[in-house]
Amino acid sequence: MIVPLLIPVYSFITELEVEVNGEKMDFANVQPYIDEQTGSTMVPAREIAERLGAEVEWDRSLEQVTLHNQHLTAKLTIGQKYASVNGQEVKLDAPAVIKNDRTMVPLRAVSESLGADVDWVQERNLVLVTSSDKVQRSTWIWDSKMIENDRDSILQFAVNQRLTSIYLRYETYTNQEAYRMFIRSANDLGIRVEALAGASDWIYENKQIYIQQFIGAVTQYNTSVDALERFQGYHFDIEPYTLGIWKTQQSWVLERWMDTIRLIEKEVRSADRSMTIAFDIPFWIDSIVVPGTNYSFSAWLLEKADSVVIMAYRNTALGSNGIIAMAKSIILEAVTLKKQAIVAVDTLPSKEGDFTTFYTLDPAHMESQLQLVKENLTPYPSYSGIAIHDYVRWSELLQNNR
């Protein structure tokens, strides 16, 4: 069932605004309104659907509107409380209606049928719609043994938190059947799973055998299982700036880091070109340049990756020291390079200070800050979502605040 977007009663007498990917919608002929019986937000079907990249068809004889993109086809019939989404019947809280010769449909029904997210910002009487390419929501699972005994609870958590991706550490000592069952179940839920690994000392030549072994092991696993049980990408967390040598020989470390990235790219592309490559990177890396050049190191990393996760570890969205400010310069680089970037926050205790983590804060506060991040960054083509580090601490945070 698609849950209606319920608006407080006082909003009936004030103007209702709708933003799609951070841009205000201008409804020329018919304004959005609230269905007083159900509290559902009703909007013109064509304007919303086309802004979300879908095509719209109207069948006058059937009084039916069809919305479709490359993944979904939704059919809504005037007066009916059921829609057909990819052939499956879905109950609506309010039916589509004709108003001033325009087809008006429940906003959440249309948006979610097309894979978009819908959020209500009460203090601004604002409905935020975010398209499917910008609603990635991910987390890290570092202890892969957890999937052997806690698969169902992890997946239920993923559903509850609307996750679209999981970065799962791959270890050969973890039961391979557990990986098969977990990834298949995640796929059934529409959740992508990436093979996670990395260590700061992987930049050293004598440690790079671990990179080759990791990529080889994932490749062997993927070729031995069904398509729906395979990892869909590699996710690397390599942080050589945490090594003591970074302070005294930064250029040397950067050169070794570049050699490591080149090795990863070579090994992955030669093993399976369908596998994507993602790197976790600190927000400040754009201030570091490639040795001997004026080119930012973050741009160099973006060139080598399919996407990056910007570790913008702050616990407020706005301000000069907020998440948005920390991430924005790399988001802009990614726009130029036509690459994707995810913005990450942390829930672990930090020696750097409480301002870098949501560890001691209410989960509702974290969600409110992430909503601000989404609203402010969705207009940029490179922005593709949020990641929360990591599963264990995040789930503890939610449990401790029940």
Side-chain angles (χ1 to χ4, degrees), residues 30-42:
V30 181
Q31 294 300 310
Y33 68 92
I34 308 302
D35 180 85
E36 295 189 16
Q37 293 184 342
T38 65
S40 295
T41 306
M42 305 296 289

Side-chain angles (χ1 to χ4, degrees), residues 17 32 37 138 143 149 204 206 231 238 265 297-298 393:
E17 292 189 357
Q37 293 184 342
S138 314
D143 181 6
N149 302 314
Y204 296 122
N206 66 339
F231 289 101
I238 303 170
E265 183 183 32
F297 200 77
S298 53
R393 288 293 188 177

Side-chain angles (χ1 to χ4, degrees), residues 157-184:
F157 175 91
V159 170
N160 293 344
Q161 299 305 318
R162 310 189 315 280
L163 296 188
T164 62
S165 302
I166 294 174
Y167 314 140
L168 174 62
R169 188 169 184 173
Y170 182 72
E171 299 282 4
T172 54
Y173 58 70
T174 298
N175 187 303
Q176 301 298 286
E177 180 68 14
Y179 282 115
R180 290 181 60 246
M181 297 299 292
F182 183 86
I183 296 174
R184 176 176 283 277

Side-chain angles (χ1 to χ4, degrees), residues 193-205:
V193 182
E194 299 178 8
L196 169 66
S200 299
D201 62 5
W202 275 10
I203 66 164
Y204 296 122
E205 189 173 354

Side-chain angles (χ1 to χ4, degrees), residues 62-196:
L62 295 176
E63 289 197 318
Q64 185 178 81
V65 61
T66 299
L67 321 171
H68 57 87
N69 58 23
Q70 58 181 334
H71 302 296
L72 293 163
T73 297
K75 296 178 182 293
L76 292 85
T77 304
I78 299 301
Q80 291 190 7
K81 282 196 173 184
Y82 289 88
S84 170
V85 180
N86 281 355
Q88 300 294 314
E89 189 176 81
V90 175
K91 186 176 181 180
L92 307 174
D93 196 71
V97 298
I98 300 292
K99 185 178 177 68
N100 295 339
D101 294 325
R102 302 298 298 276
T103 304
M104 306 295 288
V105 294
L107 173 61
R108 186 176 292 278
V110 172
S111 300
E112 293 187 351
S113 293
L114 296 172
D117 268 1
V118 180
D119 298 295
W120 165 242
V121 184
Q122 179 172 315
E123 62 273 17
R124 293 159 58 195
N125 226 40
L126 173 66
V127 181
L128 294 176
V129 182
T130 310
S131 59
S132 58
D133 59 324
K134 297 178 180 294
V135 297
Q136 289 190 50
R137 192 168 159 95
S138 314
T139 196
W140 290 254
I141 297 179
W142 288 102
D143 181 6
S144 58
K145 297 290 286 185
M146 296 181 70
I147 66 172
E148 294 183 4
N149 302 314
D150 299 331
R151 183 186 73 213
D152 292 345
S153 59
I154 293 171
L155 292 171
Q156 186 59 57
F157 175 91
V159 170
N160 293 344
Q161 299 305 318
R162 310 189 315 280
L163 296 188
T164 62
S165 302
I166 294 174
Y167 314 140
L168 174 62
R169 188 169 184 173
Y170 182 72
E171 299 282 4
T172 54
Y173 58 70
T174 298
N175 187 303
Q176 301 298 286
E177 180 68 14
Y179 282 115
R180 290 181 60 246
M181 297 299 292
F182 183 86
I183 296 174
R184 176 176 283 277
S185 297
N187 260 311
D188 289 343
L189 295 168
I191 299 170
R192 171 188 173 89
V193 182
E194 299 178 8
L196 169 66

Side-chain angles (χ1 to χ4, degrees), residues 258-273:
M258 292 169 72
D259 287 342
T260 302
I261 299 300
R262 292 187 187 103
L263 175 64
I264 288 172
E265 183 183 32
K266 176 185 174 183
E267 293 290 322
V268 171
R269 301 310 185 203
S270 62
D272 185 352
R273 297 191 69 86

